[in-house]
Amino acid sequence: MLSCMHEHDGPLTRLRRSHEQAVLELLRKHGPLSRAELGDRSGLSRTTLHDIVAGLAGNGSVVAGTPHVEVRKRGRPVEKLSLNPAAGEAVGIDFARRAVHVAAVNFAHEVISSASEAHAPDLSWPERIDIAGRLLATSGAIHLDALSAIGVGVVGPISEPGSENAHAQGIDGPPDLLRKQFGVPVLLDNNTRLAALAEAVWGAAADSGDVLYLRLSHGVGGGLVVGGALHRGRNGLSGEFGHITVDPAGRPCACGGTGCLETRASLDAVLYRYREAGGRAHDLAAFLEAAAAGEPSALGVLEHVGYDIGGVLAAVCHAVGPGVIVVGGELAEAGPALLGPVERALRQQLMPLARQHVDVRRATLGEAASALGGIALVLHESPLLSHYPRPVPEENA
């Protein structure tokens, strides 16, 4: 009996378990992958991978399928392996300035629900969390008893929970309130950084592990995904691209600086510049309509704003060397009228060697991005696999 126990916990068994965990972790982080992709990412030989996948499929941890979007130009559809979707769900919540957005995916990375509700900007945290709970509870696709964790995005830099800075920012309470309501772990991060992660996992930059994301909204911020991992920086200050100085003699910024990109490229700043140029539109929708109609003052403002943005992006590119730049937020809805000037300024100010290695793309996930980023945070960082069936020992081994 002792000999049998030692054999089950011997070097070969431990090695097999480590291979299984490596495969499960890849599928947890990246979603459905083909056997070839799993082999490339895991480094396992074809024979070893075949054996590991067969065992995981046999105990229900992994399932195979052929997603309709993953079809070769010739031959049969490519079979994808994913975690068992019935194993659990992960929820993401974005507490934006004036709205709550929620989304949920199962462990196979299938988005099963998303919803949003606007609210007044001064709504209390308990009321915001009540909205999130109601949105989740009223969605028939989400099974709250299947939740394993919740990823949450909030506005502003994120300090350690319980710290003096976190208390000053007013973000100390939400994690505890959410844990009490849902009874699962809560992971918190800046919502713009989470949008960056979502675009790298499900959106415009899903084919790149090194992504620079810029959001142009009521504020200007961003995020960096480096080597497939979200980069936070010390005290959660990574991605504050809106507070890079563009004009030292410019307007004061809410951060305490002067002439930051946010003072020139936030929605209010753009509308202010537009009115200074003689424009008559009084909100973003009218401004975008004017730009789409070719109004010279609107296009001129976007040209100048794009040049400012491109210069900041070039500086950041020289520091971190991303392969893809994703531009999101409401102002990105201007499309080529904005992105064209951004790209021209970027190419002009990048080193010649770098110009052909940066791809500028418009974000694709819309208002659900930060909530989906919360889910990506959960899938990448939480120990969600502890309840998976352990490999069943072979008889008489």
Side-chain angles (χ1 to χ4, degrees):
M1 183 68 174
L2 287 175
S3 174
C4 182
M5 291 179 63
H6 284 307
E7 191 170 342
H8 282 310
D9 196 34
L12 292 179
T13 300
R14 291 196 295 270
L15 179 62
R16 181 184 178 88
R17 287 178 180 170
S18 72
H19 290 335
E20 289 169 340
Q21 290 303 313
V23 169
L24 291 172
E25 184 176 3
L26 285 169
L27 295 175
R28 174 170 61 88
K29 288 184 176 182
H30 301 288
L33 296 171
S34 68
R35 283 176 170 78
E37 290 168 331
L38 271 175
D40 290 341
R41 294 173 186 264
S42 68
L44 298 175
S45 69
R46 181 179 298 182
T47 301
T48 300
L49 182 63
H50 181 274
D51 182 50
I52 294 299
V53 167
L56 292 173
N59 65 33
S61 299
V62 169
V63 296
T66 53
H68 68 277
V69 295
E70 296 289 349
V71 180
R72 290 177 177 171
K73 293 182 179 180
R74 298 178 181 177
R76 294 184 304 172
V78 179
E79 183 179 73
K80 295 282 188 175
L81 300 166
S82 69
L83 298 185
N84 189 335
E89 298 169 0
V91 160
I93 303 174
D94 173 24
F95 291 109
R97 282 184 170 89
R98 292 178 172 86
V100 175
H101 310 287
V102 302
V105 303
N106 59 33
F107 277 13
H109 279 220
E110 297 167 339
V111 179
I112 56 178
S113 182
S114 64
S116 300
E117 184 174 314
H119 60 70
D122 58 350
L123 198 67
S124 70
W125 275 115
E127 291 173 303
R128 294 184 187 192
I129 289 168
D130 283 345
I131 291 175
R134 175 163 43 77
L135 290 175
L136 292 170
T138 55
S139 173
I142 301 174
H143 303 89
L144 296 182
D145 58 351
L147 291 183
S148 296
I150 296 177
V152 176
V154 296
V155 176
I158 301 301
S159 302
E160 288 297 320
S163 70
E164 184 177 340
N165 286 340
H167 183 70
Q169 291 170 234
I171 59 170
D172 224 11
D176 284 339
L177 292 171
L178 287 164
R179 277 192 290 267
K180 289 177 182 177
Q181 180 154 346
F182 297 107
V184 295
V186 175
L187 298 175
L188 191 72
D189 211 321
N190 170 267
N191 61 351
T192 304
R193 247 194 326 261
L194 291 183
L197 183 59
E199 292 289 350
V201 174
W202 286 292
D207 59 344
S208 178
D210 296 289
V211 182
L212 190 166
Y213 172 81
L214 180 71
R215 174 184 273 177
L216 304 167
S217 185
H218 297 285
V220 176
L224 289 171
V225 175
V226 181
L230 188 65
H231 179 68
R232 292 183 180 82
R234 186 171 179 82
N235 296 322
L237 292 175
S238 173
E240 294 293 336
F241 307 136
H243 300 294
I244 295 176
T245 300
V246 174
D247 179 10
R251 297 168 58 197
C253 181
C255 74
T258 301
C260 298
L261 180 63
E262 187 164 300
T263 68
R264 302 173 73 87
S266 67
L267 300 185
D268 286 344
V270 169
L271 290 175
Y272 177 83
R273 294 173 75 170
Y274 171 66
R275 291 169 194 142
E276 278 193 322
R280 297 183 179 181
H282 294 290
D283 60 21
L284 180 67
F287 170 76
L288 293 174
E289 287 180 5
E295 182 184 301
S297 55
L299 294 178
V301 167
L302 289 173
E303 181 76 30
H304 290 297
V305 171
Y307 186 85
D308 291 338
I309 293 169
V312 168
L313 292 177
V316 178
C317 284
H318 286 150
V320 300
V324 174
I325 295 174
V326 177
V327 182
E330 295 93 324
L331 192 60
E333 294 176 15
L338 174 69
L339 296 185
V342 169
E343 288 200 63
R344 287 193 292 274
L346 184 64
R347 307 299 176 193
Q348 180 183 351
Q349 298 184 50
L350 279 175
M351 293 185 302
L353 185 63
R355 290 173 188 165
Q356 303 304 316
H357 299 286
V358 178
D359 187 10
V360 179
R361 305 174 185 175
R362 183 175 164 183
T364 62
L365 298 178
E367 65 181 14
S370 295
L372 289 171
I375 293 170
L377 185 71
V378 167
L379 295 175
H380 278 236
E381 299 192 5
S382 286
L384 299 180
L385 302 176
S386 60
H387 65 285
Y388 267 92
R390 289 187 177 273
V392 178
E394 296 179 10
E395 293 294 332
N396 301 321

